[in-house]
Amino acid sequence: MKPAWDQLGDEYADSSSVLIGDSDCTDSGKSLCDKFDVKGFPTIKYWVDGEVQDYSGGRDYDALNEFVSTTLGKLCDVITLDDCNDKEKGYVEKMKGKGADEREKQLVRLTGMKGNDMKSELKKWLNKRISLLTAMKEKKNEL
């Protein structure tokens, strides 16, 4: 799990809303682990609105990244484009120009690609496009 965790940390190193960290509970991090009732290793904790939660999902990179991107990261708002980077804005604008049927076809196509081998950056962009298209589908009456 350590390589997946390190990869996740690299992925979110520049994030303003997500911090990926670790603590050695047998050494200098023992007091932190005691504070948060860490009993087994590895244990993953996360915070939402100041409330600590126990993570119980998958331990591979794809599962961890999916969880972080959908649960913890600030999401691009497909209506206002708040919290969207330039690449996301461009994609949303492009897809707004297409009909709901075309967006659904793209969502099906991209979802079908999730199991394919690809570089980390491509996988990240694939998941982001799926997330954006899903949000557009849910908010189609507001587009």
Side-chain angles (χ1 to χ4, degrees), residues 92-131:
V92 169
E93 291 299 332
K94 174 184 166 185
M95 295 313 290
K96 278 183 179 179
K98 300 187 182 289
D101 289 342
E102 180 60 30
R103 288 193 300 266
E104 181 63 27
K105 285 180 188 175
Q106 284 296 317
L107 182 58
V108 169
R109 182 182 75 81
L110 294 172
T111 301
M113 294 171 60
K114 281 184 83 167
N116 295 354
D117 285 335
M118 60 186 77
K119 292 181 180 180
S120 175
E121 282 299 311
L122 290 175
K123 180 74 92 172
K124 180 180 176 184
W125 181 233
L126 173 74
N127 287 331
K128 180 53 71 176
R129 287 181 291 166
I130 290 169
S131 175

Side-chain angles (χ1 to χ4, degrees), residues 10 16 25 32 40 65 86 89 97 131 140:
D10 292 344
S16 62
C25 292
L32 181 67
N65 189 43
D86 290 341
K89 287 177 185 176
S131 175
K140 66 182 174 189

Side-chain angles (χ1 to χ4, degrees), residues 26-121:
T26 63
D27 194 21
S28 61
K30 184 164 178 18
S31 63
L32 181 67
C33 296
D34 290 344
K35 178 179 178 180
F36 292 107
D37 198 33
V38 173
K39 302 267 189 246
F41 310 109
T43 296
I44 299 175
K45 304 270 187 181
Y46 65 98
W47 283 255
V48 175
D49 298 327
E51 297 289 322
V52 66
Q53 309 283 325
D54 290 316
Y55 174 78
S56 60
R59 302 301 176 106
D60 63 4
Y61 172 77
D62 289 338
L64 291 165
N65 189 43
E66 179 73 19
F67 175 80
V68 171
S69 67
T70 59
T71 306
L72 303 176
K74 287 184 180 178
L75 300 178
C76 170
D77 186 312
V78 297
I79 304 301
T80 65
L81 300 181
D82 289 345
D83 297 316
C84 301
N85 63 34
D86 290 341
K87 190 173 184 178
E88 293 166 339
K89 287 177 185 176
Y91 186 74
V92 169
E93 291 299 332
K94 174 184 166 185
M95 295 313 290
K96 278 183 179 179
K98 300 187 182 289
D101 289 342
E102 180 60 30
R103 288 193 300 266
E104 181 63 27
K105 285 180 188 175
Q106 284 296 317
L107 182 58
V108 169
R109 182 182 75 81
L110 294 172
T111 301
M113 294 171 60
K114 281 184 83 167
N116 295 354
D117 285 335
M118 60 186 77
K119 292 181 180 180
S120 175
E121 282 299 311

Side-chain angles (χ1 to χ4, degrees), residues 11-29:
E11 186 75 24
Y12 289 92
D14 297 325
S15 174
S16 62
S17 63
V18 175
L19 171 67
I20 305 295
D22 53 55
S23 180
D24 181 352
C25 292
T26 63
D27 194 21
S28 61

